[in-house]
């Protein structure tokens, strides 16, 4: 290790350096813990020892090392570059650069040069916006409610209507090839396949700088001010360059990072304008996906700072598909996701301008958990509540549920869905639950088959010899008093019709041949009507199932109240659960005695 590296290592605090990449919590004297950035995990096993020790170790993937190992690995750079990064973070002046190979030296030189070019270009775009040519752009920005202070904060500028103004400005700083590599210019392919001379890429456009996590400008995105045929693409972006890889940057993360850490969640919007508008209104933990679907790298970057997001994408936009993909990826990575839908189909930018930031904060507070949001969508897509629609709704939800990495979360989601979709049938609930736990994509509801309880009740109801008898009366009463008990039989109308005494011959009320066969089987298999005791037993079993279903609902609601830390609701629900537990126990003890 060079003297310089040695001296950087002595001055750097590994805790501070690592903390600039991931969230750490104190875990004792000079010891800190966080989620490991090098392997996927939900509970922190990544340890950092400060003080005199200055090393990190992960109990999950056994990654370990000193401050340079960490930076080298997370930034994906070699040792000399890692030393430089750490030195910069700690404010230690850099000596003349030393590189391990000429290629490395050349690459570092190019990157440094490109950063300089971007910085100069950004300042120049800002000057153009303030100058006489920028009038139209200023008007546009004012129309979008941006103050001068906001424009300055985000370094928004203007690329004038010229093919060579920026090129002339920068040509003294770098040779043609470097300028070409910067992505700030375009060129046309020549007849012989080579590239022609370069010209300004961002013309007659409002220019927004894109910054890396350390706040350095590495690319631009530019919105046209032309209308009609001449407009071209609404947005033109920098191409990929040695500085900028599209799927690896989250817009505004440099500014949003402290607030994301402090508030422990990130607000995710689609467009840069949404992001800027919301940030300037005072909600500072906002970042933008820039209209495209999230990449794994972006999710990994975000995961270093938080594992909770509120998503506020445009309603029914062309990007709905991208939004869905982003949410799917975040779910797979174990993020807790809430979803905001804004009134009036407004995007965040317009909502904040038209309704004010307080209304927007209110909408954020009312954000729904992803599960609730999806269940609500399932209900809207498949209304009506008959068994077929319910099955469709379940099959809409299952692909979403299966993405959740944790079995417990899937189980919870399935229980919520069963309750909110009104799936009363224990059989269907269990189907859904198993499908969720085993990460299946759909449930197959088997053709109706009769349970023992149903057989007994059918026989009691259908046997004309026992009219007025106690057993038949009991079965009919159960069916008419508690229709909800028989939801599992909803596909079996004979039960209901019989209970209403509207038909004498059960075979008459069944059209479906498969059900006719089942019914005939039930009635013919046992010639005699069931004894009173059998009917009593069947009704009681039904009651028990109903209580068990209600207990399951209560458990879901209790877990929900715990999450919301709603103590009032929690006490009431727990009380109800105790009473039902007691009722069930009494019922079961009567049976055994
Ligand atoms: Zn690890």
């Amino acid at each position: 290790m060079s003297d310089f590296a040695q001296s950087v290592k002595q001055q750097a605090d590994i805790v501070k350096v690592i903390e600039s990449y991931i969230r750490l919590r104190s875990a004792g004297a000079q010891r800190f813990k966080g989620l490991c950035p090098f392997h996927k995990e939900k509970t922190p096993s990544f340890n950092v020892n400060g003080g005199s020790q200055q090393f990190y170790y992960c109990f999950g993937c056994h990654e370990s090392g000193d401050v340079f190992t960490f930076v080298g690995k997370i930034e994906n750079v070699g040792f000399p570059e890692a030393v430089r990064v750490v030195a910069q973070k700690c404010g230690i002046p850099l000596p003349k650069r030393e590189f391990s190979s000429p290629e490395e030296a050349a690459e570092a030189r190019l990157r440094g040069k490109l950063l300089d070019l971007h910085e100069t270009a950004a300042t120049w775009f800002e000057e153009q916006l303030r100058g006489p040519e920028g009038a139209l752009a200023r008007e546009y920005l004012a129309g979008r409610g941006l103050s001068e202070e906001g424009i300055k904060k985000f370094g928004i500028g203007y690329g004038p209507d010229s093919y060579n103004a920026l090129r002339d400005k920068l040509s003294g700083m770098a040779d043609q090839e470097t300028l070409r590599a910067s992505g700030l210019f375009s060129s046309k392919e020549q007849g012989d396949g080579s590239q022609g001379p370069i010209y300004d890429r961002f013309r007659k456009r409002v220019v927004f700088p894109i910054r890396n996590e350390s706040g350095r400008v590495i690319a631009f995105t530019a919105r046209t001010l032309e209308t009609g045929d001449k407009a071209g693409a609404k947005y033109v972006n920098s191409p990929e360059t040695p500085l900028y890889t599209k799927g690896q940057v989250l817009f505004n993360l440099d500014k949003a990072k402290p607030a994301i850490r402090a508030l422990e969640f990130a607000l995710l919007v689609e467009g840069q304008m949404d992001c800027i508008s919301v940030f300037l209104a005072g909600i500072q933990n906002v970042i933008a996906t820039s209209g495209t679907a999230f990449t794994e790298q972006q999710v990994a970057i975000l995961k270093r700072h938080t594992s909770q997001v509120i998503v506020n994408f445009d309603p029914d936009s062309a990007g709905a598909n991208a939004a869905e993909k982003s949410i799917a990826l975040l779910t797979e990575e174990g993020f807790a996701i809430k979803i905001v839908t804004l009134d009036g189909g407004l995007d965040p930018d317009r909502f904040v301008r038209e309704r004010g930031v307080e209304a927007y904060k209110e909408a954020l507070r009312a954000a729904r958990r992803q599960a609730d949001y999806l269940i609500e969508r399932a209900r809207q897509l498949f209304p009506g509540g008959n068994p077929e629609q319910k099955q469709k709704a379940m099959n809409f939800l299952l692909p979403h549920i299966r993405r959740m990495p944790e079995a417990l979360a899937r189980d919870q989601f399935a229980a919520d869905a069963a309750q909110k979709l009104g799936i009363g049938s224990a059989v269907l609930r269990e189907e859904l639950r198993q499908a969720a736990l085993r990460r299946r994509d759909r449930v197959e509801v088997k053709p109706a088959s009769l349970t023992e309880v149903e057989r007994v009740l059918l026989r009691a109801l259908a046997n004309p010899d026992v009219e007025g008898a106690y057993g038949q009366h009991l079965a009919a009463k159960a069916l008419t008093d508690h229709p909800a008990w028989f939801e599992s039989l909803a596909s079996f109308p004979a039960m209901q019709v019989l209970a209403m005494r509207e038909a004498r011959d059960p075979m008459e009320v069944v059209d479906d041949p498969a059900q006719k066969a089942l019914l005939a089987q039930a009635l013919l298999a046992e010639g005699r009507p069931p004894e009173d005791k059998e009917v009593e037993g069947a009704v009681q079993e039904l009651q028990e199932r109903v209580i068990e279903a209600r207990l399951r609902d209560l458990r879901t609601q209790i877990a929900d109240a715990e999450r919301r830390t709603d103590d009032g609701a929690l006490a009431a629900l727990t009380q109800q659960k105790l009473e039902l537990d007691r009722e069930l126990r009494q019922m079961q003890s009567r049976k055994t005695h």
Side-chain angles (χ1 to χ4, degrees), residues 250 266 287 294 298-306 309 330 335:
L250 286 166
I287 53 176
F294 250 20
Q298 286 172 320
V299 173
I301 291 169
L302 189 56
K303 186 103 198 205
R304 299 210 303 258
H305 306 293
T306 185
V309 291
L330 288 164
F335 273 81

Side-chain angles (χ1 to χ4, degrees), residues 394-395 397-418 428-443:
M394 289 193 280
N395 287 335
L397 291 174
L398 278 167
H400 295 280
I401 297 179
R402 67 172 287 197
R403 291 208 182 86
M404 308 176 93
E406 281 183 87
L408 197 69
R410 294 199 298 278
D411 198 18
Q412 178 75 45
F413 193 154
D416 279 5
L428 274 190
R429 274 172 184 263
E430 193 52 26
E431 271 294 316
L432 178 59
R433 191 165 168 246
Q434 289 305 326
L437 284 173
R438 298 192 180 142
R439 310 184 96 158
R440 290 207 302 266
D441 251 345
R442 45 187 298 110
V443 289

Side-chain angles (χ1 to χ4, degrees), residues 35-41 45-46 57-63:
L35 290 175
C36 179
F38 306 127
H39 83 279
K40 288 181 190 175
E41 63 175 0
S45 47
F46 183 82
Y57 178 74
C58 173
F59 286 95
C61 66
H62 308 292
E63 244 339 294

Side-chain angles (χ1 to χ4, degrees), residues 561 565-574:
T565 56
D566 183 344
D567 292 339
L570 195 57
L573 291 166
T574 310

Side-chain angles (χ1 to χ4, degrees), residues 210-212 218 244-251 288 298 301:
I210 295 173
R211 296 168 194 275
N212 66 13
I218 54 170
Y244 174 61
T245 311
K246 209 174 153 199
Q248 290 185 1
V249 183
L250 286 166
F251 184 77
Q298 286 172 320
I301 291 169

Side-chain angles (χ1 to χ4, degrees), residues 29 33 39 89 146 171 215 231 259 476 505:
K33 259 185 167 205
H39 83 279
K89 280 185 187 291
L146 274 172
S171 59
D505 183 357

Side-chain angles (χ1 to χ4, degrees), residues 77-112:
V77 293
F79 181 78
E81 184 64 16
V83 174
R84 286 173 17 81
V85 171
V86 175
Q88 247 164 355
K89 280 185 187 291
C90 304
I92 301 164
L94 297 171
K96 233 176 65 203
R97 290 177 192 176
E98 289 168 37
F99 295 99
S100 53
S101 70
E103 292 78 25
E104 202 181 344
E107 202 194 308
R109 252 198 319 275
L110 178 61
R111 285 174 56 94

